[in-house]
Amino acid sequence: MVDSNGMQQLGSGSEIPDVKDILEKSRSMVTLLEQGQTDAAVQLLNELARMRERELFAELGRLTRHLHDALKSVRLGDEVSELVNEFPDARQRLGYVVRLTEEAANKTLSIIEGLIPKAEAVSSQAEQLLEQLQTFESTAGVVNSETAALHTGLRHYLKMQINSGWHEALSEIMMAQDFQDITGQIIQRVSLLVGDIEMGLVDILRKNPFAGEESSRIGAREQGLEMGPAVPGIDDADRLDNQDDVDQLLMEYGF
Amino acid sequence: MDKNMKVLIVDDFSVMRRIIKNLLRELGFSSISEADDGKTALPMLQQGSFDLVISDWNMPLMTGIELLRAIRADQRLQAMPVLLVTAENKRENIIHAAQAGVNGYIVKPFTAATLNDKLTRIFERIAAEKAQAIQ
């Protein structure tokens, strides 16, 4: 049997209901309808529908048997079991990456937190000393050429300390540690996905090798707003690239 | 902007809490507390006398937007200024936050200048609204 789309229809010769039977029932139905015996006509229609259902169920049964044989022949169960065993390991590795980057970022932050007050102290002391030096120079004047060179050197050194830019650089190194938050969130999201797939596969293994309904929730996310930082090239849709765009959008909402 | 105000930082990543805390210190704030997620933050807010919440969005148990909605639904907390600092840069998220009554929205990665700018604006706006209410 080939339908209008040229597809081979389900059902082989032996399952096709008797055409004569169908014709007979259809003719009787028309006669009953013409006679106004609607109830009897509907009953016949239901019978015809049931014949079609029986055919469908028989087909489903045959498909299931085929699938079962196919799965058995490729030993999918064993392969899935092996795969499932790899998942906890994968999640542990991802967790380890998050932990290592967190430790590294915290270590960097500790050093910076220790250095910032020192950088501030150096710069403010240099400012004080430069002021004192200038006061001394204006009152005592230049004593001789040797001290003049020393004064010039000192002034140069103190100005260098004042304008070192250390504090700004340290702040930038501190801000750069936010990579840990962004990468950590992305890794956590991947880890969750791996966990979902693992659970789905375990379900398939535990319940039935072809439990389609159970496996359909693999990778399904909770309803509502999706969370997590954007990964360039993957999540580009409808995202705002910078703070200016965010501010622009918020302005439309009265900000 | 009163630099003596009590600030609560809510983020599940310790590194980010630390960065925001350091930035706030540099801006002159000294009374800073931390919570690692909305569920921890809410009772702290209900018990303490905080003046500002700086929260992440994506957190386990209770997200930043859920915390924001809980704050707006709480009679004693509903006027609390909430600044979201988050990696969520989707249009949909930002609109949701605006509709839920957020006071400011900063996308990560951000700079110290952005944080200062948004904080200044939040308190300028609150002051302006108060002045208008008195008139």
Side-chain angles (χ1 to χ4, degrees), chain A residues 102 105-106 110 113 116 167 171 174-175 177-178 180-181 184-185 225-229 238-240 243 246-247 249-250 253-255, chain B residues 13-16 18-19 22-23 26 57-58 63 87-92 94-96 98 102-103 105-110 118 125:
Chain A
E102 187 183 0
N106 270 318
S110 294
E113 283 166 12
I116 284 180
H167 188 250
S171 288
M174 178 182 78
M175 289 310 293
Q177 302 312 303
D178 72 352
Q180 200 274 327
D181 174 73
Q185 286 190 60
L225 289 171
E226 215 179 282
M227 292 188 292
D238 213 20
R239 291 195 183 251
L240 307 182
Q243 186 67 41
V246 173
D247 291 346
L249 177 60
L250 284 172
Y253 285 82
F255 278 74
Chain B
F13 277 78
S14 67
V15 171
M16 191 41 79
R18 216 167 153 180
I19 291 174
N22 281 328
L23 288 175
E26 284 196 27
W57 183 311
N58 184 12
T63 64
E88 312 301 328
N89 61 352
K90 284 196 292 284
R91 180 175 293 273
E92 200 191 350
I94 297 158
I95 293 169
H96 267 82
V102 79
N103 297 78
Y105 198 105
I106 295 179
V107 283
K108 295 174 187 169
F110 64 104
K118 296 302 164 213
R125 209 179 142 103

Short mmCIF file of all heavy atoms in Angstrom, two decimals, chain A residues 102 105-106 110 113 116 167 171 174-175 177-178 180-181 184-185 225-229 238-240 243 246-247 249-250 253-255, chain B residues 13-16 18-19 22-23 26 57-58 63 87-92 94-96 98 102-103 105-110 118 125:
data_model
loop_
_atom_site.label_atom_id
_atom_site.label_comp_id
_atom_site.label_asym_id
_atom_site.label_seq_id
_atom_site.Cartn_x
_atom_site.Cartn_y
_atom_site.Cartn_z
N GLU A 102 38.69 28.66 41.14
CA GLU A 102 38.26 29.43 42.31
C GLU A 102 39.45 29.65 43.25
O GLU A 102 39.67 30.75 43.74
CB GLU A 102 37.13 28.70 43.04
CG GLU A 102 36.52 29.54 44.15
CD GLU A 102 35.45 28.80 44.93
OE1 GLU A 102 35.17 27.62 44.62
OE2 GLU A 102 34.92 29.40 45.87
N ALA A 105 41.87 32.15 41.66
CA ALA A 105 41.35 33.52 41.71
C ALA A 105 41.41 34.06 43.13
O ALA A 105 41.79 35.22 43.35
CB ALA A 105 39.92 33.56 41.17
N ASN A 106 41.07 33.23 44.12
CA ASN A 106 41.11 33.69 45.51
C ASN A 106 42.54 33.98 45.96
O ASN A 106 42.78 34.93 46.71
CB ASN A 106 40.47 32.64 46.43
CG ASN A 106 38.98 32.90 46.60
OD1 ASN A 106 38.56 34.04 46.76
ND2 ASN A 106 38.18 31.85 46.54
N SER A 110 43.84 37.54 47.26
CA SER A 110 44.50 37.73 48.56
C SER A 110 45.77 38.56 48.39
O SER A 110 46.04 39.47 49.19
CB SER A 110 44.88 36.38 49.17
OG SER A 110 43.72 35.66 49.50
N GLU A 113 44.76 42.14 47.61
CA GLU A 113 44.25 42.83 48.80
C GLU A 113 45.39 43.24 49.71
O GLU A 113 45.31 44.26 50.40
CB GLU A 113 43.25 41.92 49.53
CG GLU A 113 41.89 41.88 48.84
CD GLU A 113 40.99 40.74 49.33
OE1 GLU A 113 41.33 40.12 50.37
OE2 GLU A 113 39.96 40.48 48.69
N ILE A 116 47.37 46.35 47.62
CA ILE A 116 46.72 47.66 47.40
C ILE A 116 47.04 48.66 48.52
O ILE A 116 47.46 49.79 48.23
CB ILE A 116 45.21 47.49 47.13
CG1 ILE A 116 45.00 46.98 45.69
CG2 ILE A 116 44.46 48.82 47.32
CD1 ILE A 116 43.56 46.78 45.28
N HIS A 167 48.25 51.12 41.77
CA HIS A 167 46.92 50.92 42.33
C HIS A 167 45.91 50.57 41.23
O HIS A 167 45.14 49.63 41.35
CB HIS A 167 46.49 52.18 43.09
CG HIS A 167 45.24 52.00 43.85
ND1 HIS A 167 44.07 52.61 43.49
CD2 HIS A 167 44.95 51.24 44.94
CE1 HIS A 167 43.11 52.24 44.33
NE2 HIS A 167 43.61 51.43 45.22
N SER A 171 43.93 47.06 40.63
CA SER A 171 42.46 47.02 40.51
C SER A 171 42.05 46.25 39.26
O SER A 171 41.08 45.49 39.28
CB SER A 171 41.89 48.44 40.42
OG SER A 171 41.99 49.05 41.67
N MET A 174 42.44 42.64 39.79
CA MET A 174 41.34 42.18 40.64
C MET A 174 40.06 41.96 39.80
O MET A 174 39.43 40.91 39.88
CB MET A 174 41.05 43.21 41.74
CG MET A 174 39.89 42.81 42.62
SD MET A 174 39.52 44.04 43.86
CE MET A 174 38.64 45.24 42.89
N MET A 175 39.73 42.96 38.96
CA MET A 175 38.51 42.85 38.14
C MET A 175 38.62 41.67 37.17
O MET A 175 37.62 41.03 36.85
CB MET A 175 38.27 44.14 37.34
CG MET A 175 37.83 45.33 38.16
SD MET A 175 36.46 44.97 39.25
CE MET A 175 35.15 44.66 38.08
N GLN A 177 39.69 38.86 37.69
CA GLN A 177 39.39 37.58 38.33
C GLN A 177 37.92 37.18 38.16
O GLN A 177 37.52 36.08 38.53
CB GLN A 177 39.74 37.61 39.82
CG GLN A 177 41.20 37.94 40.10
CD GLN A 177 42.15 37.12 39.25
OE1 GLN A 177 42.13 35.91 39.26
NE2 GLN A 177 42.99 37.82 38.48
N ASP A 178 37.12 38.09 37.61
CA ASP A 178 35.70 37.75 37.39
C ASP A 178 35.56 36.65 36.34
O ASP A 178 34.49 36.09 36.17
CB ASP A 178 34.86 38.98 37.04
CG ASP A 178 35.14 39.51 35.64
OD1 ASP A 178 36.10 39.03 35.00
OD2 ASP A 178 34.42 40.42 35.21
N GLN A 180 36.49 33.84 36.71
CA GLN A 180 36.16 32.62 37.45
C GLN A 180 34.65 32.45 37.60
O GLN A 180 34.11 31.35 37.50
CB GLN A 180 36.83 32.66 38.83
CG GLN A 180 36.97 31.29 39.46
CD GLN A 180 35.74 30.87 40.23
OE1 GLN A 180 35.05 31.70 40.81
NE2 GLN A 180 35.45 29.58 40.24
N ASP A 181 33.98 33.57 37.80
CA ASP A 181 32.52 33.54 37.93
C ASP A 181 31.87 33.13 36.61
O ASP A 181 31.02 32.25 36.56
CB ASP A 181 32.06 34.94 38.38
CG ASP A 181 30.56 35.07 38.41
OD1 ASP A 181 29.94 34.51 39.30
OD2 ASP A 181 30.00 35.73 37.50
N GLY A 184 32.93 29.57 35.64
CA GLY A 184 32.33 28.66 36.61
C GLY A 184 30.86 28.41 36.31
O GLY A 184 30.37 27.28 36.36
N GLN A 185 30.14 29.49 35.96
CA GLN A 185 28.71 29.36 35.66
C GLN A 185 28.49 28.51 34.41
O GLN A 185 27.57 27.69 34.35
CB GLN A 185 28.07 30.73 35.46
CG GLN A 185 27.87 31.49 36.76
CD GLN A 185 27.01 32.72 36.53
OE1 GLN A 185 25.88 32.64 36.09
NE2 GLN A 185 27.56 33.88 36.83
N LEU A 225 12.82 31.50 32.49
CA LEU A 225 14.02 32.14 32.00
C LEU A 225 15.22 31.23 32.12
O LEU A 225 15.46 30.64 33.15
CB LEU A 225 14.28 33.41 32.82
CG LEU A 225 13.31 34.55 32.57
CD1 LEU A 225 13.53 35.64 33.57
CD2 LEU A 225 13.46 35.07 31.17
N GLU A 226 15.95 31.14 31.05
CA GLU A 226 17.16 30.35 31.07
C GLU A 226 18.26 31.19 31.72
O GLU A 226 18.30 32.40 31.56
CB GLU A 226 17.55 30.03 29.62
CG GLU A 226 18.16 28.67 29.46
CD GLU A 226 18.49 28.42 28.02
OE1 GLU A 226 17.56 28.10 27.25
OE2 GLU A 226 19.66 28.56 27.67
N MET A 227 19.13 30.50 32.47
CA MET A 227 20.16 31.26 33.15
C MET A 227 21.54 30.85 32.67
O MET A 227 21.73 29.79 32.13
CB MET A 227 20.08 31.03 34.65
CG MET A 227 18.84 31.63 35.28
SD MET A 227 18.88 31.54 37.06
CE MET A 227 18.75 29.80 37.32
N GLY A 228 22.51 31.71 32.91
CA GLY A 228 23.89 31.39 32.61
C GLY A 228 24.48 32.36 31.61
O GLY A 228 23.75 32.89 30.76
N PRO A 229 25.79 32.57 31.72
CA PRO A 229 26.44 33.52 30.82
C PRO A 229 26.42 33.00 29.39
O PRO A 229 26.37 31.81 29.15
CB PRO A 229 27.88 33.58 31.33
CG PRO A 229 27.93 32.78 32.58
CD PRO A 229 26.73 31.90 32.61
N ASP A 238 19.55 37.38 20.68
CA ASP A 238 18.85 38.28 21.57
C ASP A 238 19.60 38.60 22.86
O ASP A 238 19.01 38.69 23.93
CB ASP A 238 17.46 37.74 21.90
CG ASP A 238 16.47 38.88 22.08
OD1 ASP A 238 16.78 39.99 21.59
OD2 ASP A 238 15.43 38.67 22.71
N ARG A 239 20.91 38.73 22.74
CA ARG A 239 21.68 39.12 23.92
C ARG A 239 22.25 40.51 23.69
O ARG A 239 22.49 40.92 22.56
CB ARG A 239 22.81 38.13 24.16
CG ARG A 239 22.27 36.79 24.62
CD ARG A 239 23.36 35.96 25.20
NE ARG A 239 22.85 34.66 25.58
CZ ARG A 239 22.71 34.28 26.84
NH1 ARG A 239 23.02 35.07 27.83
NH2 ARG A 239 22.25 33.09 27.11
N LEU A 240 22.45 41.22 24.80
CA LEU A 240 22.99 42.57 24.70
C LEU A 240 24.47 42.50 25.04
O LEU A 240 24.86 41.96 26.05
CB LEU A 240 22.24 43.49 25.65
CG LEU A 240 20.71 43.44 25.47
CD1 LEU A 240 20.02 44.40 26.40
CD2 LEU A 240 20.30 43.75 24.04
N GLN A 243 27.16 47.18 28.45
CA GLN A 243 26.37 47.92 29.44
C GLN A 243 25.54 49.02 28.78
O GLN A 243 24.42 49.29 29.18
CB GLN A 243 27.30 48.49 30.51
CG GLN A 243 26.59 49.17 31.67
CD GLN A 243 25.80 48.19 32.54
OE1 GLN A 243 26.26 47.09 32.82
NE2 GLN A 243 24.60 48.57 32.94
N VAL A 246 22.38 47.59 27.51
CA VAL A 246 21.51 47.27 28.65
C VAL A 246 20.85 48.54 29.15
O VAL A 246 19.63 48.59 29.38
CB VAL A 246 22.33 46.59 29.78
CG1 VAL A 246 21.47 46.42 31.01
CG2 VAL A 246 22.88 45.25 29.32
N ASP A 247 21.64 49.61 29.28
CA ASP A 247 21.10 50.89 29.76
C ASP A 247 20.03 51.41 28.81
O ASP A 247 19.00 51.93 29.24
CB ASP A 247 22.23 51.93 29.88
CG ASP A 247 23.18 51.58 31.03
OD1 ASP A 247 22.81 50.71 31.86
OD2 ASP A 247 24.28 52.15 31.09
N LEU A 249 18.09 49.66 26.82
CA LEU A 249 16.87 48.86 26.98
C LEU A 249 16.13 49.25 28.26
O LEU A 249 14.91 49.40 28.27
CB LEU A 249 17.23 47.37 26.99
CG LEU A 249 16.08 46.39 27.21
CD1 LEU A 249 15.02 46.51 26.12
CD2 LEU A 249 16.58 44.95 27.26
N LEU A 250 16.89 49.45 29.34
CA LEU A 250 16.28 49.82 30.62
C LEU A 250 15.60 51.19 30.53
O LEU A 250 14.59 51.43 31.17
CB LEU A 250 17.32 49.83 31.74
CG LEU A 250 17.75 48.44 32.23
CD1 LEU A 250 18.92 48.55 33.18
CD2 LEU A 250 16.59 47.72 32.92
N TYR A 253 12.18 51.18 29.78
CA TYR A 253 11.34 50.79 30.91
C TYR A 253 11.39 51.82 32.03
O TYR A 253 11.17 51.52 33.19
CB TYR A 253 11.74 49.40 31.41
CG TYR A 253 11.25 48.34 30.46
CD1 TYR A 253 11.97 48.05 29.31
CD2 TYR A 253 10.03 47.70 30.67
CE1 TYR A 253 11.49 47.13 28.40
CE2 TYR A 253 9.55 46.78 29.75
CZ TYR A 253 10.29 46.50 28.63
OH TYR A 253 9.82 45.59 27.73
N GLY A 254 11.74 53.05 31.67
CA GLY A 254 11.66 54.15 32.61
C GLY A 254 12.88 54.36 33.49
O GLY A 254 12.80 55.05 34.49
N PHE A 255 14.01 53.75 33.11
CA PHE A 255 15.22 53.97 33.93
C PHE A 255 16.01 55.17 33.42
O PHE A 255 16.20 55.32 32.24
CB PHE A 255 16.12 52.72 33.89
CG PHE A 255 15.67 51.68 34.86
CD1 PHE A 255 14.53 50.92 34.61
CD2 PHE A 255 16.35 51.48 36.05
CE1 PHE A 255 14.10 49.97 35.50
CE2 PHE A 255 15.92 50.54 36.95
CZ PHE A 255 14.79 49.78 36.68
N PHE B 13 29.21 32.80 43.98
CA PHE B 13 30.64 32.67 43.72
C PHE B 13 31.42 33.58 44.67
O PHE B 13 31.27 34.80 44.63
CB PHE B 13 30.96 33.02 42.27
CG PHE B 13 30.73 31.86 41.33
CD1 PHE B 13 29.45 31.53 40.91
CD2 PHE B 13 31.79 31.09 40.88
CE1 PHE B 13 29.22 30.46 40.07
CE2 PHE B 13 31.58 30.02 40.03
CZ PHE B 13 30.29 29.70 39.62
N SER B 14 32.24 32.95 45.53
CA SER B 14 32.99 33.72 46.54
C SER B 14 33.90 34.76 45.90
O SER B 14 34.08 35.85 46.43
CB SER B 14 33.80 32.77 47.42
OG SER B 14 34.83 32.16 46.66
N VAL B 15 34.45 34.41 44.73
CA VAL B 15 35.37 35.33 44.05
C VAL B 15 34.65 36.63 43.69
O VAL B 15 35.16 37.73 43.90
CB VAL B 15 35.98 34.67 42.79
CG1 VAL B 15 36.74 35.68 41.96
CG2 VAL B 15 36.88 33.50 43.18
N MET B 16 33.43 36.48 43.15
CA MET B 16 32.68 37.67 42.75
C MET B 16 32.28 38.51 43.97
O MET B 16 32.34 39.73 43.93
CB MET B 16 31.45 37.24 41.93
CG MET B 16 30.72 38.36 41.24
SD MET B 16 31.75 39.63 40.46
CE MET B 16 32.23 38.81 38.96
N ARG B 18 33.89 38.78 46.66
CA ARG B 18 35.11 39.43 47.11
C ARG B 18 35.45 40.63 46.24
O ARG B 18 35.86 41.68 46.74
CB ARG B 18 36.24 38.40 47.04
CG ARG B 18 37.23 38.54 48.16
CD ARG B 18 38.10 37.34 48.21
NE ARG B 18 39.39 37.70 48.78
CZ ARG B 18 40.37 36.82 48.95
NH1 ARG B 18 40.20 35.57 48.59
NH2 ARG B 18 41.51 37.20 49.48
N ILE B 19 35.28 40.47 44.91
CA ILE B 19 35.57 41.58 43.99
C ILE B 19 34.64 42.76 44.28
O ILE B 19 35.08 43.90 44.41
CB ILE B 19 35.42 41.12 42.51
CG1 ILE B 19 36.54 40.14 42.16
CG2 ILE B 19 35.43 42.30 41.57
CD1 ILE B 19 36.43 39.51 40.77
N ASN B 22 35.56 44.47 47.55
CA ASN B 22 36.75 45.32 47.40
C ASN B 22 36.42 46.62 46.68
O ASN B 22 36.90 47.69 47.06
CB ASN B 22 37.85 44.58 46.64
CG ASN B 22 38.60 43.60 47.52
OD1 ASN B 22 38.75 43.84 48.73
ND2 ASN B 22 39.06 42.51 46.97
N LEU B 23 35.59 46.51 45.62
CA LEU B 23 35.20 47.72 44.88
C LEU B 23 34.44 48.68 45.78
O LEU B 23 34.68 49.89 45.77
CB LEU B 23 34.33 47.34 43.67
CG LEU B 23 35.04 46.65 42.51
CD1 LEU B 23 34.03 46.24 41.44
CD2 LEU B 23 36.07 47.59 41.89
N GLU B 26 36.71 50.45 48.12
CA GLU B 26 37.43 51.53 47.46
C GLU B 26 36.55 52.75 47.23
O GLU B 26 37.03 53.86 47.19
CB GLU B 26 38.00 51.05 46.12
CG GLU B 26 39.21 50.17 46.33
CD GLU B 26 40.02 49.98 45.07
OE1 GLU B 26 39.98 50.85 44.20
OE2 GLU B 26 40.67 48.93 44.95
N TRP B 57 22.19 37.06 39.59
CA TRP B 57 20.91 36.47 39.16
C TRP B 57 20.94 34.95 39.32
O TRP B 57 20.13 34.34 40.01
CB TRP B 57 20.63 36.84 37.69
CG TRP B 57 19.31 36.36 37.16
CD1 TRP B 57 18.80 35.09 37.26
CD2 TRP B 57 18.32 37.13 36.47
NE1 TRP B 57 17.58 35.02 36.65
CE2 TRP B 57 17.25 36.26 36.16
CE3 TRP B 57 18.25 38.47 36.06
CZ2 TRP B 57 16.12 36.70 35.46
CZ3 TRP B 57 17.12 38.89 35.37
CH2 TRP B 57 16.07 38.02 35.08
N ASN B 58 21.92 34.33 38.65
CA ASN B 58 21.96 32.87 38.56
C ASN B 58 22.56 32.25 39.83
O ASN B 58 23.78 32.22 39.99
CB ASN B 58 22.81 32.49 37.33
CG ASN B 58 22.85 31.00 37.09
OD1 ASN B 58 22.10 30.23 37.69
ND2 ASN B 58 23.74 30.58 36.21
N THR B 63 17.03 32.37 43.13
CA THR B 63 17.76 33.23 42.19
C THR B 63 17.60 34.70 42.56
O THR B 63 16.78 35.05 43.41
CB THR B 63 17.24 33.03 40.76
OG1 THR B 63 15.87 33.46 40.72
CG2 THR B 63 17.32 31.57 40.32
N ALA B 87 25.62 38.06 34.78
CA ALA B 87 26.08 37.73 33.43
C ALA B 87 24.89 37.55 32.48
O ALA B 87 25.08 37.33 31.29
CB ALA B 87 26.91 36.44 33.47
N GLU B 88 23.66 37.64 33.01
CA GLU B 88 22.46 37.46 32.16
C GLU B 88 22.29 38.70 31.30
O GLU B 88 21.88 39.75 31.80
CB GLU B 88 21.20 37.27 33.02
CG GLU B 88 21.32 36.26 34.13
CD GLU B 88 21.69 34.88 33.66
OE1 GLU B 88 21.27 34.51 32.55
OE2 GLU B 88 22.40 34.18 34.39
N ASN B 89 22.59 38.59 30.02
CA ASN B 89 22.50 39.77 29.16
C ASN B 89 21.42 39.61 28.08
O ASN B 89 21.45 40.30 27.08
CB ASN B 89 23.86 40.08 28.53
CG ASN B 89 24.37 38.93 27.67
OD1 ASN B 89 23.78 37.86 27.66
ND2 ASN B 89 25.44 39.16 26.94
N LYS B 90 20.48 38.68 28.31
CA LYS B 90 19.41 38.52 27.33
C LYS B 90 18.35 39.61 27.55
O LYS B 90 18.02 39.95 28.68
CB LYS B 90 18.76 37.14 27.48
CG LYS B 90 19.61 36.02 26.89
CD LYS B 90 18.81 34.74 26.69
CE LYS B 90 18.40 34.12 28.01
NZ LYS B 90 19.49 33.44 28.70
N ARG B 91 17.85 40.11 26.45
CA ARG B 91 16.81 41.14 26.48
C ARG B 91 15.67 40.75 27.42
O ARG B 91 15.22 41.55 28.25
CB ARG B 91 16.28 41.29 25.05
CG ARG B 91 15.19 42.29 24.83
CD ARG B 91 14.89 42.38 23.35
NE ARG B 91 16.03 42.95 22.63
CZ ARG B 91 16.21 44.26 22.47
NH1 ARG B 91 15.33 45.10 22.94
NH2 ARG B 91 17.26 44.72 21.83
N GLU B 92 15.25 39.50 27.31
CA GLU B 92 14.13 38.98 28.10
C GLU B 92 14.40 39.12 29.61
O GLU B 92 13.53 39.53 30.37
CB GLU B 92 13.95 37.51 27.73
CG GLU B 92 12.62 36.93 28.05
CD GLU B 92 12.64 35.40 27.89
OE1 GLU B 92 13.62 34.86 27.35
OE2 GLU B 92 11.66 34.78 28.33
N ILE B 94 16.47 41.18 31.14
CA ILE B 94 16.55 42.58 31.57
C ILE B 94 15.14 43.15 31.70
O ILE B 94 14.83 43.86 32.66
CB ILE B 94 17.42 43.38 30.57
CG1 ILE B 94 18.85 42.83 30.58
CG2 ILE B 94 17.42 44.86 30.92
CD1 ILE B 94 19.67 43.13 29.36
N ILE B 95 14.26 42.79 30.75
CA ILE B 95 12.88 43.27 30.81
C ILE B 95 12.18 42.71 32.05
O ILE B 95 11.49 43.44 32.77
CB ILE B 95 12.12 42.90 29.50
CG1 ILE B 95 12.72 43.67 28.32
CG2 ILE B 95 10.63 43.18 29.64
CD1 ILE B 95 12.25 43.21 26.95
N HIS B 96 12.39 41.42 32.33
CA HIS B 96 11.79 40.81 33.51
C HIS B 96 12.22 41.52 34.79
O HIS B 96 11.41 41.79 35.67
CB HIS B 96 12.19 39.33 33.62
CG HIS B 96 11.22 38.41 32.97
ND1 HIS B 96 11.21 38.16 31.63
CD2 HIS B 96 10.21 37.67 33.49
CE1 HIS B 96 10.23 37.32 31.35
NE2 HIS B 96 9.62 37.01 32.46
N ALA B 98 13.35 44.60 35.06
CA ALA B 98 12.78 45.95 35.10
C ALA B 98 11.33 45.89 35.58
O ALA B 98 10.91 46.68 36.44
CB ALA B 98 12.86 46.59 33.72
N VAL B 102 13.48 46.26 39.63
CA VAL B 102 14.90 46.38 39.96
C VAL B 102 15.29 47.86 39.91
O VAL B 102 14.67 48.66 39.20
CB VAL B 102 15.76 45.54 38.97
CG1 VAL B 102 15.95 46.25 37.65
CG2 VAL B 102 17.09 45.17 39.59
N ASN B 103 16.28 48.27 40.72
CA ASN B 103 16.70 49.67 40.72
C ASN B 103 17.87 49.92 39.77
O ASN B 103 18.08 51.04 39.32
CB ASN B 103 17.11 50.09 42.13
CG ASN B 103 15.95 50.02 43.10
OD1 ASN B 103 15.59 48.94 43.55
ND2 ASN B 103 15.34 51.14 43.39
N TYR B 105 20.82 47.64 36.88
CA TYR B 105 21.17 46.35 36.24
C TYR B 105 22.55 46.50 35.61
O TYR B 105 22.74 47.30 34.71
CB TYR B 105 20.12 46.02 35.19
CG TYR B 105 20.07 44.57 34.73
CD1 TYR B 105 19.06 43.74 35.17
CD2 TYR B 105 21.02 44.06 33.86
CE1 TYR B 105 18.99 42.42 34.75
CE2 TYR B 105 20.96 42.73 33.45
CZ TYR B 105 19.94 41.92 33.89
OH TYR B 105 19.86 40.60 33.48
N ILE B 106 23.51 45.72 36.11
CA ILE B 106 24.87 45.76 35.57
C ILE B 106 25.20 44.39 35.00
O ILE B 106 24.98 43.37 35.65
CB ILE B 106 25.89 46.12 36.67
CG1 ILE B 106 25.65 47.55 37.19
CG2 ILE B 106 27.32 45.99 36.15
CD1 ILE B 106 26.59 47.97 38.30
N VAL B 107 25.72 44.37 33.76
CA VAL B 107 26.11 43.08 33.19
C VAL B 107 27.60 42.84 33.41
O VAL B 107 28.42 43.74 33.29
CB VAL B 107 25.79 42.95 31.68
CG1 VAL B 107 24.31 42.70 31.48
CG2 VAL B 107 26.24 44.16 30.90
N LYS B 108 27.90 41.59 33.79
CA LYS B 108 29.30 41.17 33.95
C LYS B 108 29.87 40.85 32.57
O LYS B 108 29.15 40.31 31.75
CB LYS B 108 29.38 39.91 34.82
CG LYS B 108 28.93 40.09 36.25
CD LYS B 108 28.93 38.71 36.91
CE LYS B 108 28.33 38.75 38.31
NZ LYS B 108 28.11 37.40 38.86
N PRO B 109 31.13 41.05 32.30
CA PRO B 109 32.09 41.71 33.19
C PRO B 109 31.87 43.23 33.23
O PRO B 109 31.48 43.81 32.21
CB PRO B 109 33.43 41.38 32.56
CG PRO B 109 33.15 41.04 31.14
CD PRO B 109 31.74 40.61 31.05
N PHE B 110 32.10 43.83 34.39
CA PHE B 110 31.85 45.26 34.55
C PHE B 110 33.08 45.94 35.14
O PHE B 110 34.04 45.27 35.50
CB PHE B 110 30.64 45.47 35.45
CG PHE B 110 30.85 44.98 36.85
CD1 PHE B 110 31.08 45.87 37.89
CD2 PHE B 110 30.82 43.62 37.14
CE1 PHE B 110 31.28 45.41 39.19
CE2 PHE B 110 31.02 43.16 38.44
CZ PHE B 110 31.26 44.06 39.47
N LYS B 118 26.25 53.46 38.62
CA LYS B 118 24.89 52.93 38.85
C LYS B 118 24.44 53.20 40.29
O LYS B 118 23.27 53.52 40.52
CB LYS B 118 24.84 51.42 38.58
CG LYS B 118 25.13 51.03 37.14
CD LYS B 118 24.20 51.68 36.15
CE LYS B 118 24.79 51.57 34.76
NZ LYS B 118 24.47 52.70 33.91
N ARG B 125 18.09 58.98 42.17
CA ARG B 125 16.70 58.75 41.79
C ARG B 125 15.79 58.61 43.00
O ARG B 125 14.70 59.19 43.04
CB ARG B 125 16.65 57.44 40.98
CG ARG B 125 15.55 57.40 39.95
CD ARG B 125 15.65 56.08 39.23
NE ARG B 125 14.31 55.57 38.97
CZ ARG B 125 13.73 55.65 37.78
NH1 ARG B 125 14.34 56.19 36.79
NH2 ARG B 125 12.52 55.16 37.61
#
